[in-house]
Amino acid sequence: MQRLFSEDGSVEAVNERMVRSVNRRLAEIMACLVGHLHAFAKETQLTQGEWETAIDFLTRTGQMCSGERQEFILLSDTLGFSMLVDAINNRRPAGATESTVFGPFHVAGAPIRKMGDTINLDGKGESCLYEGRVLDLDGNPVAGAHVDVWSDNAEGFYDVQQPGIQPRWNNRGIFVTGQDGAYRFVGIKPVSYPIPNDGPVGQMLGQLGRHACRPAHMHFLVTAHSYHRLVTHTFVGDDPYLDSDTVFGVKETLVAPFERVEGGPTLWRSQFDFVLVDRQQPPVHPCANAASR
Amino acid sequence: MQRLFSEDGSVEAVNERMVRSVNRRLAEIMACLVGHLHAFAKETQLTQGEWETAIDFLTRTGQMCSGERQEFILLSDTLGFSMLVDAINNRRPAGATESTVFGPFHVAGAPIRKMGDTINLDGKGESCLYEGRVLDLDGNPVAGAHVDVWSDNAEGFYDVQQPGIQPRWNNRGIFVTGQDGAYRFVGIKPVSYPIPNDGPVGQMLGQLGRHACRPAHMHFLVTAHSYHRLVTHTFVGDDPYLDSDTVFGVKETLVAPFERVEGGPTLWRSQFDFVLVDRQQPPVHPCANAASR
């Protein structure tokens, strides 16, 4: 006879039912989840009405999702869960550039542009020269690195949010480093913008007294043969949302200099080096931080 | 400056952002949820691929929901979460009949039938006489109690799952007690059935090596003026799924006698008394069990 359900023994009643040999990892994950979900209900003394509200919220969140909108990722992002999973899976040795959330607006297959070219195709916004180098942990240049960049336009929208309004591939491009590891391109000084907030997640943020904004940032996906891929942003340091990014993406080391240029071809200049980690590098122990929980 | 995100300080980074004055209870609930969700990711060292699987699962669960199907309730049910919320919200003094999950198949407005009438309109299944009394905690009969009953048919489907196939209100009815508190009606000996398992929850159960079945049961919703409403089932004691109900609804005190009747008008007889709790009764302290977590 298996254990029947009781309030005190609720976790064990559920978890004893799982047959671990079918999918051992799923059983491990679900047993941990059940433990935390039940503890959550007990600690909050969740009412029947609150449970009904939660069921309705999750249902509406799922039904908001479409090819162009992923409301569950927004939920994960705004609860800091996406950043946490990123952190767990991208622990890097000191000196390496830190990662941050990928975001929903990357598009694979952006055009490879000539070093120094502009990515800004709609002519809007304040121009900015981005330059720096891709390096290894010893400071050596990494040749042949693909620096894939994307940002919003001057009105706070990515091209894919405004098909037919913005030119295709506006504020996107890939630059391939030479022997000196250097990259250089012209874009705009990006602007802060709200994440899509006309759905359940936007309502949740409102009820929590939180704004929906992300501070201005340029996205970088840097890949090179035999190095771990780096997904990160650089942030504009004077942004009013820098310490309240609604998806918690900001790290101090990713705040880049954005300097006003007098009389140059661009209004701004931002210099930032990216330090990649060799795949041969011994991994940072995955439980290093978990142990101190 | 608010705290920036870090793996170790992830919970604080998120929870400090909530403005408690807007909706204090929601902020309390969400802060507790964030703590448990982050602990879950850290304890399992959730991978990026597993996170993607979870996003996809939740999205499909939401998109499976319709007017006739509530996949998130099935998810809550199969993780024992619905039973836990029921337990937290329905602590009763010793001697009172225990509650169990409401289930998705109740329909309000069932016909009030004459005491002793049958609820079985499709003529299928093994007939069973249900009888007993509605009592208070002192054993006094409760007059004017509404005993609202519903069950599946002999093939394991509720009428609302088979509109046009089963007669409307098949195996449903309301019986009103007189001065003796007694109820009496004819239904069928119910049969075990699988919950709808052609969606994400069914896939999850399969991957956890769990079946999707509920043991045979008759639903009861008993209400009476000045008493707390009682939502419960009685279970058939010889059911093979009695100790593995996929929604964890079985409690020992709810297993009812189902006796074979020789030569009577029905094949079976099930006697069960329901003991209601007066609303004047001092409540069982809501933290009585939570404290011993």
Side-chain angles (χ1 to χ4, degrees):
Chain A
M1 176 96 176
Q2 297 190 57
R3 187 193 303 246
L4 293 181
F5 186 90
S6 68
E7 187 175 340
D8 285 345
S10 68
V11 174
E12 294 74 13
V14 177
N15 289 349
E16 279 174 9
R17 202 70 74 71
M18 299 175 189
V19 179
R20 283 174 165 61
S21 56
V22 182
N23 183 335
R24 186 173 300 275
R25 175 63 176 161
L26 182 68
E28 176 189 15
I29 287 172
M30 292 305 294
C32 184
L33 184 64
V34 165
H36 281 293
L37 283 179
H38 285 215
F40 157 70
K42 291 174 186 183
E43 284 167 33
T44 56
Q45 293 288 298
L46 201 69
T47 70
Q48 195 74 36
E50 288 162 352
W51 174 86
E52 285 165 17
T53 299
I55 293 288
D56 177 61
F57 175 83
L58 291 168
T59 304
R60 287 187 295 118
T61 299
Q63 301 200 330
M64 192 84 195
C65 295
S66 66
E68 296 75 44
R69 176 79 172 257
Q70 227 308 347
E71 194 78 357
F72 269 115
I73 291 186
L74 289 184
L75 181 60
S76 170
D77 289 353
T78 53
L79 298 183
F81 197 80
S82 305
M83 273 300 285
L84 178 58
V85 172
D86 178 71
I88 288 170
N89 288 279
N90 291 285
R91 297 194 192 89
R92 282 156 203 266
T97 302
E98 290 191 282
S99 63
T100 188
V101 283
F102 196 44
F105 296 122
H106 180 258
V107 180
I112 295 184
R113 302 191 194 276
K114 222 180 85 201
M115 200 59 79
D117 264 5
T118 187
I119 58 172
N120 177 241
L121 308 181
D122 67 0
K124 294 178 182 168
E126 301 185 355
S127 62
C128 179
L129 173 67
Y130 291 83
E131 59 184 346
R133 289 187 303 162
V134 181
L135 303 170
D136 69 14
L137 275 169
D138 298 321
N140 302 311
V142 175
H146 282 223
V147 181
D148 188 348
V149 303
W150 65 106
S151 80
D152 57 349
N153 76 350
E155 283 140 20
F157 294 101
Y158 292 84
D159 59 353
V160 289
Q161 295 179 284
Q162 298 188 312
I165 297 173
Q166 291 188 40
R168 192 166 152 85
W169 305 116
N170 190 30
N171 294 309
R172 297 178 189 272
I174 297 175
F175 298 87
V176 183
T177 62
Q179 290 305 316
D180 59 357
Y183 73 88
R184 181 181 165 93
F185 67 92
V186 175
I188 62 166
K189 186 179 182 231
V191 300
S192 51
Y193 60 84
I195 61 168
N197 62 356
D198 57 343
V201 171
Q203 291 165 13
M204 178 192 78
L205 292 177
Q207 285 288 306
L208 293 173
R210 286 176 51 184
H211 66 69
C213 290
R214 298 215 61 200
H217 57 276
M218 175 63 73
H219 287 269
F220 290 88
L221 165 61
V222 186
T223 53
H225 184 67
S226 85
Y227 293 88
H228 287 290
R229 86 174 197 161
L230 171 64
V231 174
T232 197
H233 317 340
T234 59
F235 291 93
V236 180
D238 62 356
D239 194 283
Y241 300 112
L242 200 66
D243 69 348
S244 63
D245 183 356
T246 202
V247 309
F248 305 93
V250 179
K251 291 176 175 172
E252 245 177 284
T253 60
L254 300 178
V255 178
F258 275 76
E259 293 155 7
R260 186 87 194 195
V261 182
E262 298 302 331
T266 59
L267 279 171
W268 298 88
R269 176 180 173 270
S270 181
Q271 195 281 331
F272 200 89
D273 290 342
F274 297 97
V275 180
L276 302 186
V277 180
D278 198 297
R279 289 183 198 273
Q280 302 302 317
Q281 184 80 12
V284 178
H285 194 277
C287 296
N289 294 313
S292 65
R293 240 185 316 100
Chain B
M1 176 95 176
Q2 297 190 57
R3 186 193 303 246
L4 292 181
F5 186 90
S6 68
E7 186 176 341
D8 284 346
S10 68
V11 174
E12 294 74 12
V14 177
N15 288 348
E16 279 173 10
R17 204 69 75 70
M18 299 175 189
V19 179
R20 283 174 166 61
S21 55
V22 182
N23 183 335
R24 187 173 300 275
R25 175 61 176 162
L26 182 67
E28 176 189 14
I29 287 172
M30 292 305 293
C32 184
L33 183 65
V34 166
H36 281 294
L37 284 179
H38 285 215
F40 157 71
K42 291 174 187 185
E43 284 169 32
T44 56
Q45 293 288 299
L46 201 70
T47 70
Q48 196 73 36
E50 288 162 352
W51 174 85
E52 284 164 17
T53 299
I55 293 288
D56 177 61
F57 175 83
L58 291 168
T59 304
R60 287 188 294 117
T61 299
Q63 301 201 327
M64 192 84 197
C65 295
S66 67
E68 296 76 43
R69 176 77 174 258
Q70 228 308 345
E71 194 78 358
F72 269 116
I73 291 186
L74 289 184
L75 181 59
S76 170
D77 289 354
T78 52
L79 298 183
F81 197 79
S82 305
M83 273 301 286
L84 178 58
V85 172
D86 178 70
I88 288 169
N89 288 278
N90 291 286
R91 297 194 191 89
R92 283 156 202 265
T97 302
E98 291 192 280
S99 63
T100 188
V101 283
F102 196 44
F105 296 123
H106 180 258
V107 180
I112 295 184
R113 302 190 193 277
K114 223 180 86 201
M115 199 60 80
D117 263 5
T118 186
I119 59 172
N120 177 241
L121 308 181
D122 67 359
K124 294 178 181 168
E126 300 186 354
S127 62
C128 179
L129 173 68
Y130 291 83
E131 60 184 346
R133 288 189 304 161
V134 181
L135 304 169
D136 69 14
L137 275 169
D138 298 321
N140 302 310
V142 175
H146 282 223
V147 181
D148 188 348
V149 303
W150 65 106
S151 80
D152 58 349
N153 77 350
E155 282 139 21
F157 295 101
Y158 292 85
D159 59 352
V160 289
Q161 294 179 285
Q162 299 189 311
I165 296 174
Q166 291 189 40
R168 192 166 152 85
W169 304 115
N170 190 30
N171 294 310
R172 296 178 188 273
I174 298 175
F175 298 87
V176 183
T177 60
Q179 290 306 315
D180 58 356
Y183 72 89
R184 180 181 165 91
F185 67 92
V186 175
I188 62 164
K189 185 179 182 230
V191 300
S192 51
Y193 60 84
I195 61 168
N197 61 357
D198 57 342
V201 171
Q203 291 166 12
M204 177 192 78
L205 292 176
Q207 286 289 306
L208 293 174
R210 286 175 50 184
H211 66 70
C213 290
R214 297 215 61 200
H217 56 278
M218 175 62 72
H219 287 270
F220 289 88
L221 166 60
V222 186
T223 52
H225 184 66
S226 84
Y227 293 88
H228 287 291
R229 87 176 195 160
L230 171 65
V231 173
T232 196
H233 317 339
T234 59
F235 291 92
V236 181
D238 62 356
D239 195 283
Y241 300 111
L242 201 66
D243 69 348
S244 63
D245 182 356
T246 200
V247 309
F248 304 94
V250 179
K251 292 176 175 173
E252 245 176 282
T253 60
L254 301 177
V255 178
F258 275 75
E259 292 154 10
R260 187 88 193 195
V261 183
E262 297 302 329
T266 60
L267 278 171
W268 298 88
R269 176 179 173 270
S270 181
Q271 195 281 332
F272 200 88
D273 291 342
F274 297 97
V275 180
L276 302 186
V277 180
D278 198 299
R279 289 184 197 272
Q280 303 301 317
Q281 184 79 10
V284 177
H285 193 279
C287 296
N289 295 312
S292 65
R293 240 187 315 103

